[in-house]
């Protein structure tokens, strides 16, 4: 694809790709979006901001309701390792989750409806801080979102594992409930040669990690899916000193809110057991959590049938994934769905080499424009 023949929204994506910013610091990104919107004919647009986010309502011709489309805005703390001429200009940050693609697609759809209005109002929600600390829940409660509260809300996410021209989703849970897990154990340090005068938190931490493995295998229905991963342990200072402290960091993922609740209860019981058994003090912190992305069954089924009937994209009904997505907080209150859009890249999401196929931008703009146009005129 030569530079002169770039679709305007590919060009926009490349500009956004160069300025990745972390959650609630999307200052240049917000400026870029507001400048773009300011250059559109103003008669049909109402614009509001919330923190670093942007809400843009395209007024319908005879609105009965508001339908919303959401795009996330933040980049990730990753050093980009591609050789692309438009690679990140912000050292240490990269759009490695495709949110630059999501924003470019949303602007493409929005631009279409500014020039070709339909019956209902369409609200475009540019949401900050998807990757953390979590923008969806506070944005859902924000004044502009409440003022323009939509009747339904939709979103997409790029999928490196599917080729361009493929979309995938499912009715019901698409993404997991996720929770961080931080456990701190405090005992009594001492000389390695006098274990009886100390209280070793390396031993306590090893027991706890082993016990945590039993939660999924012994406490969760085998027909339900759940993950507990301890990804990091820190303990001790030196080989001949008994460790006074140990810190475990991990993540919990489930496909139902109920399983998440039960798993947390079991973890709390095991941690209390370690405290009693090893005579130490423990603190437990769940950090950030995301609720599941629970696609509305009726709307999702209707969308799948609609997309299949069009025949211009391959439609896959995919299994749920153990990844989390902030969009779940919108779906907790408002019916809608999220779908994957193929961008055929050998490098996955959150990879420093992610290089999505940009032809997916026009595929997505066409598909989403047709879908929202259909829903907003029906
Ligand atoms: Zn991500
Ligand atoms: Zn993402």
């Amino acid at each position: 694809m030569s530079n002169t023949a770039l679709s305007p929204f590919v060009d926009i994506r490349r500009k956004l790709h160069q300025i990745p910013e972390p959650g609630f610091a999307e200052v240049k990104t917000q400026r870029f979006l507001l400048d773009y919107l300011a250059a559109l004919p103003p008669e049909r647009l109402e614009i509001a901001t919330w923190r670093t986010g942007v809400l843009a309502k395209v007024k319908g011709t005879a609105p009965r309701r508001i339908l919303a489309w959401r795009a996330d805005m933040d980049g990730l703390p990753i050093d980009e390792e591609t050789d692309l001429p438009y690679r990140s200009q912000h050292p240490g940050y990269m759009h490695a989750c495709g949110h630059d693609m999501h924003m470019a697609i949303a602007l493409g759809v929005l631009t279409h409806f500014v020039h070709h209005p339909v019956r209902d109002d369409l609200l475009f929600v540019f949401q900050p801080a998807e990757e953390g600390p979590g923008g969806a829940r506070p944005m859902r409660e924000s004044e502009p979102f409440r003022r323009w509260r939509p009747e339904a809300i939709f979103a997409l996410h790029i999928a490196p594992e599917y080729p361009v021209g493929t979309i995938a989703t499912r009715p019901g849970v698409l993404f997991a409930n996720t929770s961080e897990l931080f456990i701190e154990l405090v005992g009594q340090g001492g000389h390695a040669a006098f274990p009886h005068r100390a209280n070793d938190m390396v031993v306590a931490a090893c027991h706890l990690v082993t016990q945590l493995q039993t939660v999924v295998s012994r406490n969760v229905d085998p027909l339900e899916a759940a993950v507990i991963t301890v990804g990091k342990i820190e303990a001790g200072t030196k080989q001949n000193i008994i460790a006074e402290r140990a810190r475990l960091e991990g993540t919990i993922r489930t496909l139902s809110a109920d399983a998440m609740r039960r798993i947390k209860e079991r973890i709390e019981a095991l941690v209390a057991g370690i405290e009693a058994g090893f005579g130490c003090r423990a603190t437990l912190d769940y950090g950030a959590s995301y609720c599941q992305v629970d696609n509305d069954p009726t709307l999702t089924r209707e969308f799948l049938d609609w997309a299949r009937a069009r025949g211009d994209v391959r439609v896959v009904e995919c299994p749920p994934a153990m990844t989390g997505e902030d969009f779940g907080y919108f779906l907790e209150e408002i019916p809608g769905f999220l779908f994957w859009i193929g961008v055929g890249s050998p490098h996955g999401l959150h990879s420093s080499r992610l290089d999505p196929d940009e032809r997916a931008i026009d595929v997505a703009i066409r598909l989403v424009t047709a879908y929202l146009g259909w829903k907003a005129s029906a």
Side-chain angles (χ1 to χ4, degrees):
M1 199 184 288
S2 82
N3 258 322
T4 48
L6 279 188
S7 136
F9 300 102
V10 171
D11 187 50
I12 283 171
R13 181 262 159 167
R14 293 184 177 189
K15 290 197 169 99
L16 288 166
H17 189 77
Q18 293 176 55
I19 54 165
E21 298 169 295
F24 290 131
E26 301 94 335
V27 178
K28 289 186 199 170
T29 308
Q30 184 187 46
R31 185 75 264 151
F32 183 96
L33 296 173
L34 291 172
D35 287 347
Y36 179 88
L37 295 172
L40 292 174
E43 308 79 45
R44 295 228 154 258
L45 264 179
E46 283 181 57
I47 295 162
T49 58
W50 171 78
R51 297 190 66 171
T52 46
V54 177
L55 298 96
K57 193 178 80 168
V58 181
K59 287 182 256 182
T61 52
R64 303 156 295 181
R65 56 181 182 169
I66 300 175
L67 300 174
W69 180 262
R70 174 274 207 172
D72 40 12
M73 298 169 67
D74 50 333
L76 283 158
I78 291 176
D79 254 319
E80 180 159 353
E81 293 188 284
T82 73
D83 297 321
L84 298 168
Y86 50 88
R87 67 181 164 272
S88 169
Q89 301 297 303
H90 290 176
Y93 289 96
M94 177 185 178
H95 268 299
C97 202
H99 301 181
D100 50 345
M101 301 275 286
H102 302 169
M103 286 185 280
I105 291 163
L107 287 178
V109 177
L110 179 153
T111 304
H112 172 90
F113 287 115
V114 167
H115 294 294
H116 309 280
V118 280
R119 185 166 179 189
D120 291 325
D121 288 340
L122 296 173
L123 178 66
F124 292 83
V125 179
F126 295 90
Q127 180 220 305
E130 189 282 323
E131 302 284 355
R137 181 149 49 171
M139 193 173 203
R140 188 184 75 186
E141 310 303 328
S142 71
E143 187 282 321
F145 190 83
R146 288 214 158 296
R147 180 181 359 135
W148 290 332
R149 192 185 163 80
E151 196 178 289
I153 189 162
F154 312 101
L156 57 70
H157 203 292
I158 65 160
E161 61 274 33
Y162 292 113
V164 173
T166 295
I167 62 166
T169 191
R170 71 190 300 274
V173 174
L174 181 66
F175 291 155
N177 296 270
T178 73
S179 173
E180 295 176 336
L181 175 64
F182 301 102
I183 302 168
E184 189 104 32
L185 302 175
V186 182
Q188 176 67 54
H191 195 293
F194 304 105
H196 54 295
R197 293 191 202 141
N199 187 8
D200 189 347
M201 288 306 102
V202 165
V203 175
C206 290
H207 275 269
L208 180 55
V209 171
T210 307
Q211 290 178 12
L212 289 173
Q213 305 310 307
T214 68
V215 176
V216 172
S217 67
R218 302 291 89 182
N219 302 128
V220 175
D221 182 335
L223 297 181
E224 265 195 63
V227 174
I228 300 177
T229 293
V230 176
K232 183 177 174 186
I233 299 184
E234 265 176 9
T237 50
K238 197 168 182 293
Q239 127 281 349
N240 63 351
I241 299 173
I242 287 172
E244 177 158 316
R245 287 169 181 275
R247 182 175 166 82
L248 282 62
E249 300 188 3
T251 178
I252 315 166
R253 281 142 199 261
T254 71
L255 291 183
S256 78
D258 189 49
M260 177 63 78
R261 192 182 46 70
R262 277 183 284 120
I263 284 177
K264 285 184 172 176
E265 277 172 16
R266 285 302 302 146
I267 290 175
E268 284 152 30
L270 292 176
V271 168
I274 291 286
E275 276 189 304
F278 290 85
C280 61
R281 279 180 292 122
T283 51
L284 175 58
D285 176 7
Y286 291 119
S289 63
Y290 285 163
C291 77
Q292 63 200 11
V293 170
D294 194 0
N295 283 339
D296 181 84
T298 309
L299 284 169
T300 312
R301 178 62 57 206
E302 181 192 65
F303 171 70
L304 287 167
D305 292 344
W306 172 87
R308 275 198 194 98
R310 278 171 61 82
D312 58 347
V313 286
R314 193 169 73 93
V315 179
V316 174
E317 254 185 271
C318 61
M322 278 295 176
T323 45
E325 235 288 351
D326 205 11
F327 186 61
Y329 286 109
F330 288 113
L331 293 186
E332 210 176 29
E333 291 203 347
I334 299 159
F337 57 81
L338 182 146
F339 64 93
W340 295 110
I341 184 133
V343 294
S345 162
H347 306 288
L349 297 174
H350 294 203
S351 158
S352 59
R353 295 181 201 278
L354 176 72
D355 179 17
D357 188 328
E358 293 173 319
R359 288 175 302 170
I361 293 173
D362 282 340
V363 172
I365 291 172
R366 271 201 308 275
L367 184 80
V368 175
T369 300
Y371 177 69
L372 288 180
W374 175 63
K375 288 298 282 181
S377 312

